[in-house]
Amino acid sequence: GENVEQHPSTLSVQEGDSAVIKCTYSDSASNYFPWYKQELGKGPQLIIDIRSNVGEKKDQRIAVTLNKTAKHFSLHITETQPEDSAVYFCAALYTGTASKLTFGTGTRLQVTL
Amino acid sequence: DTGVSQDPRHKITKRGQNVTFRCDPISEHNRLYWYRQTLGQGPEFLTYFQNEAQLEKSRLLSDRFSAERPKGSFSTLEIQRTEQGDSAMYLCASSPKRGQATDTQYFGPGTRLTVL
């Protein structure tokens, strides 16, 4: 089955700096890669996703890049703000036969003033 | 669109008791998923429904667990004879039925289960 590894497990940045979180996946058939933000006591909130036919996607301060050859994808947050502090999860899915998301272990991002 | 809702938000029970959780998906989403999340980990897939049909179950879903979606709308997850190892956040997600959007899963707030 699919295995997703995520790094780093914790990340501390100063407000205004950029943050990068990286994930690798094992199943070359995976073709959909969402990123979720989870605040304490809440469910995961979808923040951005990318499909395998696209190399990069951007939404305001958030961008995701995908390297299918290397089987890794990354989340980039620019101009970080204190409200970006949360746990971020990457996930992978093969849309052909499976509907289950396989998640990474999460990155706790802390944005300090 | 009110989002995925789950009830209860918190449940404390004694070992050996049965518990049932409810999930109401986003209106007109025909796919519904259950995940379990333990502290410090990402969500792990439990089971998935398309309309009322349960199409996939994880090995994590032991015979003490049962899920239903009788009319293709809300779903229930029941755990019988709870064990301390069942303590976790139980998350429900739903996805739309058309095109590429069927891959996009929207999560509810979760039910936190504590087994004493």
Side-chain angles (χ1 to χ4, degrees):
Chain A
E2 176 64 277
N3 182 53
V4 177
E5 295 189 355
Q6 183 171 348
H7 300 280
S9 56
T10 59
L11 180 59
S12 183
V13 300
Q14 283 196 321
E15 184 180 6
D17 287 351
S18 295
V20 180
I21 302 170
K22 298 183 179 182
C23 288
T24 60
Y25 60 98
S26 61
D27 188 350
S28 56
S30 290
N31 56 359
Y32 174 67
F33 308 93
W35 286 87
Y36 288 87
K37 175 183 180 182
Q38 188 172 28
E39 297 175 327
L40 196 61
K42 297 184 178 180
Q45 175 193 3
L46 179 71
I47 55 171
I48 195 167
D49 57 12
I50 192 167
R51 299 180 189 278
S52 59
N53 58 347
V54 175
E56 184 174 356
K57 185 176 178 181
K58 191 173 181 180
D59 183 4
Q60 299 183 337
R61 296 186 297 110
I62 293 173
V64 58
T65 58
L66 171 65
N67 183 326
K68 286 189 296 183
T69 304
K71 289 190 284 188
H72 67 70
F73 55 114
S74 301
L75 177 71
H76 305 252
I77 306 174
T78 58
E79 301 171 24
T80 53
Q81 301 167 2
E83 50 265 39
D84 295 329
S85 296
V87 180
Y88 291 81
F89 290 98
C90 62
L93 178 153
Y94 169 52
T95 61
T97 59
S99 282
K100 59 184 179 184
L101 288 168
T102 301
F103 283 84
T105 50
T107 296
R108 181 172 298 280
L109 173 64
Q110 177 134 16
V111 180
T112 57
L113 297 173
Chain B
D1 189 346
T2 58
V4 178
S5 61
Q6 293 187 245
D7 185 69
R9 295 292 308 280
H10 304 273
K11 178 71 177 179
I12 299 174
T13 191
K14 293 182 179 178
R15 189 177 54 185
Q17 298 294 306
N18 299 342
V19 294
T20 300
F21 310 141
R22 176 179 171 127
C23 170
D24 287 87
I26 294 171
S27 178
E28 297 187 359
H29 279 195
N30 72 332
R31 294 186 175 190
L32 186 148
Y33 314 79
W34 286 98
Y35 291 81
R36 182 173 72 184
Q37 185 178 27
T38 53
L39 206 60
Q41 299 296 316
E44 295 176 290
F45 171 80
L46 291 178
T47 190
Y48 142 64
F49 291 85
Q50 182 160 306
N51 299 313
E52 63 274 10
Q54 188 172 17
L55 296 186
E56 190 170 351
K57 292 196 291 185
S58 162
R59 284 191 300 271
L60 292 175
L61 213 66
S62 75
D63 55 8
R64 295 186 298 106
F65 288 69
S66 63
E68 294 184 341
R69 194 183 184 197
K71 297 182 180 179
S73 57
F74 72 91
S75 174
T76 58
L77 177 68
E78 181 183 16
I79 309 174
Q80 296 183 327
R81 305 182 302 281
T82 52
E83 302 172 354
Q84 288 184 326
D86 297 332
S87 295
M89 174 82 89
Y90 290 84
L91 293 162
C92 177
S94 69
S95 66
K97 58 183 173 183
R98 289 196 176 83
Q100 287 190 329
T102 58
D103 310 322
T104 306
Q105 298 184 22
Y106 299 91
F107 282 82
T111 294
R112 179 162 296 285
L113 172 66
T114 302
V115 181
L116 301 176

mmCIF file with all atom_site columns, all heavy atoms in Angstrom, chain A residues 41-59:
data_model
loop_
_atom_site.group_PDB
_atom_site.id
_atom_site.type_symbol
_atom_site.label_atom_id
_atom_site.label_alt_id
_atom_site.label_comp_id
_atom_site.label_asym_id
_atom_site.label_entity_id
_atom_site.label_seq_id
_atom_site.pdbx_PDB_ins_code
_atom_site.Cartn_x
_atom_site.Cartn_y
_atom_site.Cartn_z
_atom_site.occupancy
_atom_site.B_iso_or_equiv
_atom_site.pdbx_formal_charge
_atom_site.auth_seq_id
_atom_site.auth_comp_id
_atom_site.auth_asym_id
_atom_site.auth_atom_id
_atom_site.pdbx_PDB_model_num
ATOM 1   N N   . GLY A 1 41 ? -8.037  20.549 18.483  1.00 0.00 ? 41 GLY A N   1
ATOM 2   C CA  . GLY A 1 41 ? -9.421  20.212 18.761  1.00 0.00 ? 41 GLY A CA  1
ATOM 3   C C   . GLY A 1 41 ? -10.349 20.280 17.570  1.00 0.00 ? 41 GLY A C   1
ATOM 4   O O   . GLY A 1 41 ? -11.569 20.138 17.715  1.00 0.00 ? 41 GLY A O   1
ATOM 5   N N   . LYS A 1 42 ? -9.795  20.491 16.380  1.00 0.00 ? 42 LYS A N   1
ATOM 6   C CA  . LYS A 1 42 ? -10.630 20.606 15.183  1.00 0.00 ? 42 LYS A CA  1
ATOM 7   C C   . LYS A 1 42 ? -10.270 19.535 14.162  1.00 0.00 ? 42 LYS A C   1
ATOM 8   O O   . LYS A 1 42 ? -9.231  18.885 14.256  1.00 0.00 ? 42 LYS A O   1
ATOM 9   C CB  . LYS A 1 42 ? -10.463 21.989 14.558  1.00 0.00 ? 42 LYS A CB  1
ATOM 10  C CG  . LYS A 1 42 ? -10.919 23.130 15.456  1.00 0.00 ? 42 LYS A CG  1
ATOM 11  C CD  . LYS A 1 42 ? -10.826 24.457 14.732  1.00 0.00 ? 42 LYS A CD  1
ATOM 12  C CE  . LYS A 1 42 ? -11.334 25.593 15.619  1.00 0.00 ? 42 LYS A CE  1
ATOM 13  N NZ  . LYS A 1 42 ? -11.263 26.906 14.929  1.00 0.00 ? 42 LYS A NZ  1
ATOM 14  N N   . GLY A 1 43 ? -11.138 19.356 13.193  1.00 0.00 ? 43 GLY A N   1
ATOM 15  C CA  . GLY A 1 43 ? -10.853 18.434 12.117  1.00 0.00 ? 43 GLY A CA  1
ATOM 16  C C   . GLY A 1 43 ? -9.917  19.054 11.090  1.00 0.00 ? 43 GLY A C   1
ATOM 17  O O   . GLY A 1 43 ? -9.747  20.269 11.038  1.00 0.00 ? 43 GLY A O   1
ATOM 18  N N   . PRO A 1 44 ? -9.294  18.226 10.248  1.00 0.00 ? 44 PRO A N   1
ATOM 19  C CA  . PRO A 1 44 ? -8.409  18.749 9.203   1.00 0.00 ? 44 PRO A CA  1
ATOM 20  C C   . PRO A 1 44 ? -9.179  19.611 8.207   1.00 0.00 ? 44 PRO A C   1
ATOM 21  O O   . PRO A 1 44 ? -10.283 19.252 7.785   1.00 0.00 ? 44 PRO A O   1
ATOM 22  C CB  . PRO A 1 44 ? -7.871  17.482 8.531   1.00 0.00 ? 44 PRO A CB  1
ATOM 23  C CG  . PRO A 1 44 ? -8.086  16.385 9.523   1.00 0.00 ? 44 PRO A CG  1
ATOM 24  C CD  . PRO A 1 44 ? -9.317  16.756 10.269  1.00 0.00 ? 44 PRO A CD  1
ATOM 25  N N   . GLN A 1 45 ? -8.565  20.728 7.827   1.00 0.00 ? 45 GLN A N   1
ATOM 26  C CA  . GLN A 1 45 ? -9.172  21.647 6.867   1.00 0.00 ? 45 GLN A CA  1
ATOM 27  C C   . GLN A 1 45 ? -8.325  21.652 5.601   1.00 0.00 ? 45 GLN A C   1
ATOM 28  O O   . GLN A 1 45 ? -7.124  21.921 5.652   1.00 0.00 ? 45 GLN A O   1
ATOM 29  C CB  . GLN A 1 45 ? -9.231  23.052 7.467   1.00 0.00 ? 45 GLN A CB  1
ATOM 30  C CG  . GLN A 1 45 ? -9.738  24.121 6.515   1.00 0.00 ? 45 GLN A CG  1
ATOM 31  C CD  . GLN A 1 45 ? -9.491  25.529 7.031   1.00 0.00 ? 45 GLN A CD  1
ATOM 32  O OE1 . GLN A 1 45 ? -8.882  25.720 8.077   1.00 0.00 ? 45 GLN A OE1 1
ATOM 33  N NE2 . GLN A 1 45 ? -9.963  26.516 6.310   1.00 0.00 ? 45 GLN A NE2 1
ATOM 34  N N   . LEU A 1 46 ? -8.940  21.348 4.466   1.00 0.00 ? 46 LEU A N   1
ATOM 35  C CA  . LEU A 1 46 ? -8.228  21.349 3.186   1.00 0.00 ? 46 LEU A CA  1
ATOM 36  C C   . LEU A 1 46 ? -7.768  22.764 2.862   1.00 0.00 ? 46 LEU A C   1
ATOM 37  O O   . LEU A 1 46 ? -8.562  23.711 2.889   1.00 0.00 ? 46 LEU A O   1
ATOM 38  C CB  . LEU A 1 46 ? -9.150  20.845 2.076   1.00 0.00 ? 46 LEU A CB  1
ATOM 39  C CG  . LEU A 1 46 ? -8.559  20.815 0.670   1.00 0.00 ? 46 LEU A CG  1
ATOM 40  C CD1 . LEU A 1 46 ? -7.527  19.709 0.559   1.00 0.00 ? 46 LEU A CD1 1
ATOM 41  C CD2 . LEU A 1 46 ? -9.663  20.622 -0.362  1.00 0.00 ? 46 LEU A CD2 1
ATOM 42  N N   . ILE A 1 47 ? -6.465  22.921 2.562   1.00 0.00 ? 47 ILE A N   1
ATOM 43  C CA  . ILE A 1 47 ? -5.961  24.255 2.232   1.00 0.00 ? 47 ILE A CA  1
ATOM 44  C C   . ILE A 1 47 ? -5.523  24.361 0.771   1.00 0.00 ? 47 ILE A C   1
ATOM 45  O O   . ILE A 1 47 ? -5.610  25.435 0.168   1.00 0.00 ? 47 ILE A O   1
ATOM 46  C CB  . ILE A 1 47 ? -4.820  24.701 3.159   1.00 0.00 ? 47 ILE A CB  1
ATOM 47  C CG1 . ILE A 1 47 ? -3.669  23.679 3.178   1.00 0.00 ? 47 ILE A CG1 1
ATOM 48  C CG2 . ILE A 1 47 ? -5.333  24.939 4.573   1.00 0.00 ? 47 ILE A CG2 1
ATOM 49  C CD1 . ILE A 1 47 ? -2.432  24.178 3.917   1.00 0.00 ? 47 ILE A CD1 1
ATOM 50  N N   . ILE A 1 48 ? -5.052  23.276 0.200   1.00 0.00 ? 48 ILE A N   1
ATOM 51  C CA  . ILE A 1 48 ? -4.654  23.283 -1.200  1.00 0.00 ? 48 ILE A CA  1
ATOM 52  C C   . ILE A 1 48 ? -4.466  21.831 -1.629  1.00 0.00 ? 48 ILE A C   1
ATOM 53  O O   . ILE A 1 48 ? -4.197  20.960 -0.798  1.00 0.00 ? 48 ILE A O   1
ATOM 54  C CB  . ILE A 1 48 ? -3.371  24.115 -1.435  1.00 0.00 ? 48 ILE A CB  1
ATOM 55  C CG1 . ILE A 1 48 ? -3.166  24.435 -2.922  1.00 0.00 ? 48 ILE A CG1 1
ATOM 56  C CG2 . ILE A 1 48 ? -2.151  23.420 -0.855  1.00 0.00 ? 48 ILE A CG2 1
ATOM 57  C CD1 . ILE A 1 48 ? -2.115  25.507 -3.180  1.00 0.00 ? 48 ILE A CD1 1
ATOM 58  N N   . ASP A 1 49 ? -4.628  21.572 -2.921  1.00 0.00 ? 49 ASP A N   1
ATOM 59  C CA  . ASP A 1 49 ? -4.378  20.230 -3.440  1.00 0.00 ? 49 ASP A CA  1
ATOM 60  C C   . ASP A 1 49 ? -3.778  20.333 -4.825  1.00 0.00 ? 49 ASP A C   1
ATOM 61  O O   . ASP A 1 49 ? -3.850  21.374 -5.478  1.00 0.00 ? 49 ASP A O   1
ATOM 62  C CB  . ASP A 1 49 ? -5.653  19.370 -3.424  1.00 0.00 ? 49 ASP A CB  1
ATOM 63  C CG  . ASP A 1 49 ? -6.812  19.985 -4.204  1.00 0.00 ? 49 ASP A CG  1
ATOM 64  O OD1 . ASP A 1 49 ? -6.606  20.958 -4.950  1.00 0.00 ? 49 ASP A OD1 1
ATOM 65  O OD2 . ASP A 1 49 ? -7.947  19.486 -4.058  1.00 0.00 ? 49 ASP A OD2 1
ATOM 66  N N   . ILE A 1 50 ? -3.171  19.235 -5.264  1.00 0.00 ? 50 ILE A N   1
ATOM 67  C CA  . ILE A 1 50 ? -2.556  19.218 -6.592  1.00 0.00 ? 50 ILE A CA  1
ATOM 68  C C   . ILE A 1 50 ? -2.737  17.834 -7.195  1.00 0.00 ? 50 ILE A C   1
ATOM 69  O O   . ILE A 1 50 ? -2.740  16.814 -6.473  1.00 0.00 ? 50 ILE A O   1
ATOM 70  C CB  . ILE A 1 50 ? -1.056  19.616 -6.513  1.00 0.00 ? 50 ILE A CB  1
ATOM 71  C CG1 . ILE A 1 50 ? -0.493  19.878 -7.915  1.00 0.00 ? 50 ILE A CG1 1
ATOM 72  C CG2 . ILE A 1 50 ? -0.241  18.570 -5.761  1.00 0.00 ? 50 ILE A CG2 1
ATOM 73  C CD1 . ILE A 1 50 ? 0.866   20.564 -7.895  1.00 0.00 ? 50 ILE A CD1 1
ATOM 74  N N   . ARG A 1 51 ? -2.910  17.810 -8.504  1.00 0.00 ? 51 ARG A N   1
ATOM 75  C CA  . ARG A 1 51 ? -3.035  16.534 -9.208  1.00 0.00 ? 51 ARG A CA  1
ATOM 76  C C   . ARG A 1 51 ? -1.778  16.286 -10.010 1.00 0.00 ? 51 ARG A C   1
ATOM 77  O O   . ARG A 1 51 ? -1.010  17.212 -10.296 1.00 0.00 ? 51 ARG A O   1
ATOM 78  C CB  . ARG A 1 51 ? -4.283  16.550 -10.100 1.00 0.00 ? 51 ARG A CB  1
ATOM 79  C CG  . ARG A 1 51 ? -5.534  16.744 -9.280  1.00 0.00 ? 51 ARG A CG  1
ATOM 80  C CD  . ARG A 1 51 ? -6.809  16.780 -10.073 1.00 0.00 ? 51 ARG A CD  1
ATOM 81  N NE  . ARG A 1 51 ? -7.900  17.195 -9.190  1.00 0.00 ? 51 ARG A NE  1
ATOM 82  C CZ  . ARG A 1 51 ? -8.539  16.376 -8.375  1.00 0.00 ? 51 ARG A CZ  1
ATOM 83  N NH1 . ARG A 1 51 ? -8.227  15.098 -8.354  1.00 0.00 ? 51 ARG A NH1 1
ATOM 84  N NH2 . ARG A 1 51 ? -9.495  16.823 -7.582  1.00 0.00 ? 51 ARG A NH2 1
ATOM 85  N N   . SER A 1 52 ? -1.586  15.039 -10.402 1.00 0.00 ? 52 SER A N   1
ATOM 86  C CA  . SER A 1 52 ? -0.307  14.648 -10.986 1.00 0.00 ? 52 SER A CA  1
ATOM 87  C C   . SER A 1 52 ? -0.065  15.231 -12.373 1.00 0.00 ? 52 SER A C   1
ATOM 88  O O   . SER A 1 52 ? 1.051   15.142 -12.886 1.00 0.00 ? 52 SER A O   1
ATOM 89  C CB  . SER A 1 52 ? -0.185  13.122 -11.035 1.00 0.00 ? 52 SER A CB  1
ATOM 90  O OG  . SER A 1 52 ? -1.234  12.580 -11.795 1.00 0.00 ? 52 SER A OG  1
ATOM 91  N N   . ASN A 1 53 ? -1.075  15.821 -12.991 1.00 0.00 ? 53 ASN A N   1
ATOM 92  C CA  . ASN A 1 53 ? -0.870  16.421 -14.303 1.00 0.00 ? 53 ASN A CA  1
ATOM 93  C C   . ASN A 1 53 ? -0.413  17.876 -14.205 1.00 0.00 ? 53 ASN A C   1
ATOM 94  O O   . ASN A 1 53 ? -0.275  18.565 -15.216 1.00 0.00 ? 53 ASN A O   1
ATOM 95  C CB  . ASN A 1 53 ? -2.152  16.337 -15.139 1.00 0.00 ? 53 ASN A CB  1
ATOM 96  C CG  . ASN A 1 53 ? -3.330  17.025 -14.469 1.00 0.00 ? 53 ASN A CG  1
ATOM 97  O OD1 . ASN A 1 53 ? -3.280  17.362 -13.281 1.00 0.00 ? 53 ASN A OD1 1
ATOM 98  N ND2 . ASN A 1 53 ? -4.390  17.236 -15.231 1.00 0.00 ? 53 ASN A ND2 1
ATOM 99  N N   . VAL A 1 54 ? -0.157  18.329 -12.977 1.00 0.00 ? 54 VAL A N   1
ATOM 100 C CA  . VAL A 1 54 ? 0.267   19.713 -12.728 1.00 0.00 ? 54 VAL A CA  1
ATOM 101 C C   . VAL A 1 54 ? 1.527   19.684 -11.877 1.00 0.00 ? 54 VAL A C   1
ATOM 102 O O   . VAL A 1 54 ? 1.644   18.866 -10.956 1.00 0.00 ? 54 VAL A O   1
ATOM 103 C CB  . VAL A 1 54 ? -0.845  20.485 -11.994 1.00 0.00 ? 54 VAL A CB  1
ATOM 104 C CG1 . VAL A 1 54 ? -0.383  21.884 -11.615 1.00 0.00 ? 54 VAL A CG1 1
ATOM 105 C CG2 . VAL A 1 54 ? -2.092  20.568 -12.876 1.00 0.00 ? 54 VAL A CG2 1
ATOM 106 N N   . GLY A 1 55 ? 2.483   20.562 -12.150 1.00 0.00 ? 55 GLY A N   1
ATOM 107 C CA  . GLY A 1 55 ? 3.716   20.575 -11.381 1.00 0.00 ? 55 GLY A CA  1
ATOM 108 C C   . GLY A 1 55 ? 3.703   21.540 -10.213 1.00 0.00 ? 55 GLY A C   1
ATOM 109 O O   . GLY A 1 55 ? 4.436   21.359 -9.250  1.00 0.00 ? 55 GLY A O   1
ATOM 110 N N   . GLU A 1 56 ? 2.842   22.569 -10.317 1.00 0.00 ? 56 GLU A N   1
ATOM 111 C CA  . GLU A 1 56 ? 2.814   23.577 -9.267  1.00 0.00 ? 56 GLU A CA  1
ATOM 112 C C   . GLU A 1 56 ? 1.441   24.230 -9.235  1.00 0.00 ? 56 GLU A C   1
ATOM 113 O O   . GLU A 1 56 ? 0.775   24.376 -10.254 1.00 0.00 ? 56 GLU A O   1
ATOM 114 C CB  . GLU A 1 56 ? 3.884   24.645 -9.535  1.00 0.00 ? 56 GLU A CB  1
ATOM 115 C CG  . GLU A 1 56 ? 4.000   25.684 -8.439  1.00 0.00 ? 56 GLU A CG  1
ATOM 116 C CD  . GLU A 1 56 ? 5.167   26.658 -8.654  1.00 0.00 ? 56 GLU A CD  1
ATOM 117 O OE1 . GLU A 1 56 ? 5.920   26.452 -9.623  1.00 0.00 ? 56 GLU A OE1 1
ATOM 118 O OE2 . GLU A 1 56 ? 5.320   27.581 -7.854  1.00 0.00 ? 56 GLU A OE2 1
ATOM 119 N N   . LYS A 1 57 ? 1.020   24.603 -8.040  1.00 0.00 ? 57 LYS A N   1
ATOM 120 C CA  . LYS A 1 57 ? -0.260  25.293 -7.865  1.00 0.00 ? 57 LYS A CA  1
ATOM 121 C C   . LYS A 1 57 ? -0.111  26.309 -6.762  1.00 0.00 ? 57 LYS A C   1
ATOM 122 O O   . LYS A 1 57 ? 0.545   26.028 -5.751  1.00 0.00 ? 57 LYS A O   1
ATOM 123 C CB  . LYS A 1 57 ? -1.353  24.286 -7.527  1.00 0.00 ? 57 LYS A CB  1
ATOM 124 C CG  . LYS A 1 57 ? -2.756  24.858 -7.431  1.00 0.00 ? 57 LYS A CG  1
ATOM 125 C CD  . LYS A 1 57 ? -3.748  23.737 -7.188  1.00 0.00 ? 57 LYS A CD  1
ATOM 126 C CE  . LYS A 1 57 ? -5.162  24.254 -7.029  1.00 0.00 ? 57 LYS A CE  1
ATOM 127 N NZ  . LYS A 1 57 ? -6.121  23.128 -6.769  1.00 0.00 ? 57 LYS A NZ  1
ATOM 128 N N   . LYS A 1 58 ? -0.694  27.491 -6.964  1.00 0.00 ? 58 LYS A N   1
ATOM 129 C CA  . LYS A 1 58 ? -0.531  28.556 -5.985  1.00 0.00 ? 58 LYS A CA  1
ATOM 130 C C   . LYS A 1 58 ? -1.884  29.151 -5.621  1.00 0.00 ? 58 LYS A C   1
ATOM 131 O O   . LYS A 1 58 ? -2.772  29.277 -6.474  1.00 0.00 ? 58 LYS A O   1
ATOM 132 C CB  . LYS A 1 58 ? 0.375   29.636 -6.554  1.00 0.00 ? 58 LYS A CB  1
ATOM 133 C CG  . LYS A 1 58 ? 0.824   30.664 -5.532  1.00 0.00 ? 58 LYS A CG  1
ATOM 134 C CD  . LYS A 1 58 ? 1.856   31.600 -6.134  1.00 0.00 ? 58 LYS A CD  1
ATOM 135 C CE  . LYS A 1 58 ? 2.326   32.610 -5.100  1.00 0.00 ? 58 LYS A CE  1
ATOM 136 N NZ  . LYS A 1 58 ? 3.318   33.549 -5.630  1.00 0.00 ? 58 LYS A NZ  1
ATOM 137 N N   . ASP A 1 59 ? -2.054  29.487 -4.355  1.00 0.00 ? 59 ASP A N   1
ATOM 138 C CA  . ASP A 1 59 ? -3.261  30.142 -3.879  1.00 0.00 ? 59 ASP A CA  1
ATOM 139 C C   . ASP A 1 59 ? -2.838  31.166 -2.840  1.00 0.00 ? 59 ASP A C   1
ATOM 140 O O   . ASP A 1 59 ? -2.601  30.827 -1.686  1.00 0.00 ? 59 ASP A O   1
ATOM 141 C CB  . ASP A 1 59 ? -4.240  29.125 -3.285  1.00 0.00 ? 59 ASP A CB  1
ATOM 142 C CG  . ASP A 1 59 ? -5.545  29.771 -2.846  1.00 0.00 ? 59 ASP A CG  1
ATOM 143 O OD1 . ASP A 1 59 ? -5.727  30.992 -3.062  1.00 0.00 ? 59 ASP A OD1 1
ATOM 144 O OD2 . ASP A 1 59 ? -6.396  29.053 -2.284  1.00 0.00 ? 59 ASP A OD2 1
#
